[in-house]
Amino acid sequence: MGQTTTDAIRLIDTARLPDGGKLLLLQSGDQFSIELDNEELMGNTDHVSEEALATMTAERLPMGDPHVLIGGLGMGFTLGAAIGAWGPGAAIDVAELIPEVVQWAKGPLAHVFGTKLSDPRVTVRVADVHDVIRGSTDHYDAIMLDVDNGPDGLVQMANDRLYGGEGLESAYLALRPGGILAVWSADPDIGFYRRLCAAGFVVDEVAVPAFAGSVHDDHVIWFATRP
């Protein structure tokens, strides 16, 4: 957990993952972090690329009031950017696998989320985003995935089905023609790029700063459009 103060790190809560792992919600002064096995998955200080996931998707969509799906609630930065990017007629669904993450958003992280969860355009479901995608056909204008640090994930081996060929085929079918699958990743992954192309998507791979002012540290977002 990055620190700019001498405040001690305090454990706020834990959440058990379906495969037995454990998430930790930590606080140090005004900094909050969600970690797994000493690896920070997300924090409330550096979120440029998480916001870019939504804003850059919106730039690529021709409509102002789409129906979009966000995979992974996190600390709400992608959600907040989506709320700001699209008009009052948009519908924004969020699928979050871990119920405690939703509880944290309404409790110890409520000041980070502000009014995002009460926006009338937003619906939050405690569900596996893979199942939500697989149960949808020609339903979404955009699907934005910020799950498990990207295709080479840390949290769940089961997320391989989300980023593998079958999962990408389901995402393709869940999108309307012209819809976009946008995937955030901490690192590049040429194999994933190739799987996106093999699934029939037209793919744009973009490097974005990992944090404000970053020169050398980048994250990756793939924008995969269904023709």
Side-chain angles (χ1 to χ4, degrees):
M1 183 175 185
Q3 288 181 268
T4 56
T5 73
T6 58
D7 293 307
I9 297 175
R10 184 165 68 99
L11 176 64
I12 302 299
D13 199 6
T14 64
R16 185 66 61 182
L17 300 174
D19 64 0
K22 186 165 66 173
L23 294 182
L24 309 177
L25 176 61
L26 304 174
Q27 178 184 6
S28 177
D30 59 359
Q31 297 183 33
F32 291 81
S33 174
I34 297 176
E35 299 188 2
L36 172 71
D37 297 332
N38 296 317
E39 180 79 25
E40 184 175 67
L41 300 179
M42 63 201 76
N44 69 318
T45 55
D46 298 324
H47 41 81
V48 173
S49 60
E50 289 85 350
E51 292 173 335
L53 179 62
T55 57
M56 295 179 72
T57 299
E59 290 169 358
R60 287 162 168 78
L61 280 178
M63 71 286 292
D65 295 320
H67 190 178
V68 304
L69 171 65
I70 299 174
L73 178 61
M75 291 192 175
F77 294 111
T78 299
L79 173 59
I83 290 171
W86 283 299
I92 305 171
D93 298 340
V94 181
E96 171 55 52
L97 178 65
I98 310 301
E100 287 87 352
V101 172
V102 180
Q103 294 168 12
W104 296 343
K106 299 175 181 178
L109 297 178
H111 66 291
V112 176
F113 276 81
T115 61
K116 296 169 188 173
L117 297 183
S118 61
D119 189 291
R121 295 170 291 176
V122 174
T123 301
V124 178
R125 298 173 55 185
V126 176
D128 189 329
V129 69
H130 171 272
D131 297 336
V132 175
I133 291 171
R134 190 170 183 180
S136 305
T137 302
D138 289 334
H139 191 65
Y140 291 108
D141 299 296
I143 298 171
M144 295 170 285
L145 299 180
D146 181 4
V147 178
D148 204 4
N149 271 16
D152 187 17
L154 300 168
V155 177
Q156 281 212 112
M157 291 301 292
N159 282 331
D160 286 346
R161 64 180 183 158
L162 185 63
Y163 298 115
E166 180 183 343
L168 296 180
E169 180 181 351
S170 294
Y172 187 98
L173 295 174
L175 288 166
R176 296 166 179 159
I180 296 174
L181 171 66
V183 181
W184 183 98
S185 178
D187 301 295
D189 189 327
I190 186 62
F192 181 66
Y193 175 90
R194 290 169 177 164
R195 291 196 298 276
L196 285 168
C197 294
F201 289 104
V202 177
V203 185
D204 182 18
E205 180 180 303
V206 180
V208 294
F211 53 88
S214 172
V215 176
H216 302 294
D217 294 331
D218 290 327
H219 292 153
V220 175
I221 302 176
W222 293 277
F223 298 96
T225 302
R226 174 180 174 175

